[in-house]
């Protein structure tokens, strides 16, 4: 569906990602698990702000901000938010000011955790540990105040627009996969807010479903996760005018066994995955998103749910910077 891809490429973008990111063979785990063709798509290895999946979305968000002649962007998240860090970095490159709304206490620990945001030039505001709805309201109020001051703010985070970045990533991974001796069959992603997941699933549909897509939930129960992804998936179809079929027709698998206590709450298995990736492949992953996803990947590969003859890949979405503030969460490494 190359014509459909061209319609996405016509959206304004601000160049941030030098594609393709590496597709790395996990040879250490292949030896350890006694099976071939395990891979990791390294979206953590990008050149800006320590990398991560949000840069693919930010290409479209900043493209929209610049088209609208914005002079300042607003974004919200926790003190260690990858989105906040990467928005601060990308905004500085684009010549835009940046305000970050942290739904966290204004404490010395959280100021330390958000240091990179200020290093990139962003203004950080702490509004306490409130929920998503109140955080969104605070961001809209801040944007309204900036407009009264004569500024032109743009709020980062339109889920459908941000998802377009992972449509392109699906095409990128498919092209890399075709160069391997056996093309990829299974792709694992963290199941969370939805733009990365919905974009990749939509791109997979545009390609004719070459991948079985596995979502390891790190934040929501299956019903809520599925609802979020469906809303964005259908929104992509409305925005682009592309008909790729209903989400229910997609080769999509939800895995809930590694959610544990929910978002940001480590499990013994997720900690074991951090240690295993560090000591087997020299790759760093962190507690909130990548550890549980990697734990699910290793579990399903080891127990044979992913057949040994079918190549499998996990998408590393980044977040490495937050690992340095997570030392106290470890139980097996001092």
């Amino acid at each position: 569906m190359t014509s459909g891809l061209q319609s996405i490429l016509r959206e304004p973008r601000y160049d941030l990602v030098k594609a393709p990111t590496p597709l790395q063979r996990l040879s250490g785990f292949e030896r350890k698990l006694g099976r071939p063709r395990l891979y990791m798509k390294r979206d953590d290895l990008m050149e800006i702000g320590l990398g991560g999946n949000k840069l693919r979305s930010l290409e479209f968000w900043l493209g929209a901000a610049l088209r609208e002649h914005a002079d300042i962007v607003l974004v919200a998240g926790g003190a260690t938010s990858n989105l906040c860090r990467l928005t601060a970095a990308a905004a500085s490159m684009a010549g835009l000011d940046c305000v970050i709304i942290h739904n966290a206490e204004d404490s010395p620990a959280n100021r330390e955790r958000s240091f990179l945001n200020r290093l990139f030039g962003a203004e950080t505001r702490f509004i306490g540990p409130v929920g998503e709805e109140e955080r969104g309201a605070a961001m809209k109020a801040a944007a309204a105040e900036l407009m009264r001051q004569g500024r032109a703010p743009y709020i980062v985070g339109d889920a459908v627009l941000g998802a377009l970045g992972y449509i392109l990533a699906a095409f990128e991974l498919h092209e890399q996969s075709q160069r391997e001796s056996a093309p990829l069959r299974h792709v694992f992603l963290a199941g969370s807010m939805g733009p990365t997941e919905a974009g990749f699933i939509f791109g997979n549909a545009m390609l004719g479903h070459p991948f079985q897509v596995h979502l390891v939930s790190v934040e929501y129960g299956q019903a809520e996760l599925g609802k979020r992804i469906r809303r964005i998936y259908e929104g992509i179809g409305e925005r682009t005018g592309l008909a790729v079929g209903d989400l229910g027709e997609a080769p999509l698998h939800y895995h809930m066994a590694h959610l544990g206590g929910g978002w940001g709450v480590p499990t013994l298995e997720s900690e074991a995955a951090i240690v295993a990736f560090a000591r087997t492949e020299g790759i760093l992953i962190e507690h909130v998103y990548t550890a549980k996803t990697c734990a699910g990947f290793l579990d399903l590969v080891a127990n044979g749910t992913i057949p040994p003859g079918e190549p499998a890949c996990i998408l590393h979405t980044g977040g490495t910077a937050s690992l340095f503030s997570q030392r106290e969460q470890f139980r097996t490494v001092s």
Side-chain angles (χ1 to χ4, degrees), residues 226-312:
K227 182 172 71 174
R228 286 172 175 266
I229 290 170
R230 176 173 289 278
R231 184 167 61 243
I232 301 168
Y233 183 93
E234 292 176 351
I236 297 169
E238 292 169 6
R239 184 182 184 101
T240 62
L242 298 173
V244 297
D246 185 78
L247 182 63
E249 301 169 6
L252 176 60
H253 312 273
Y254 293 93
H255 303 285
M256 311 305 296
H258 291 273
L259 178 58
W263 186 88
V265 181
T267 64
L268 287 173
E269 293 80 9
S270 65
E271 180 170 330
I274 293 175
V275 174
F277 268 84
R279 297 179 182 178
T280 305
E281 301 289 353
I283 295 172
L284 295 177
I285 58 178
E286 51 73 51
H287 274 299
V288 178
Y289 295 102
T290 49
K292 290 179 180 179
T293 312
C294 286
F297 172 77
L298 293 178
D299 182 25
L300 293 167
V301 166
N303 68 22
T305 300
I306 306 302
E310 298 184 4

Side-chain angles (χ1 to χ4, degrees), residues 23 42-43 45 91 122 178 206 208 274 286 319:
L23 179 63
R42 298 294 304 273
D43 272 11
L45 296 182
Q178 294 305 298
M206 290 176 67
I274 293 175
E286 51 73 51

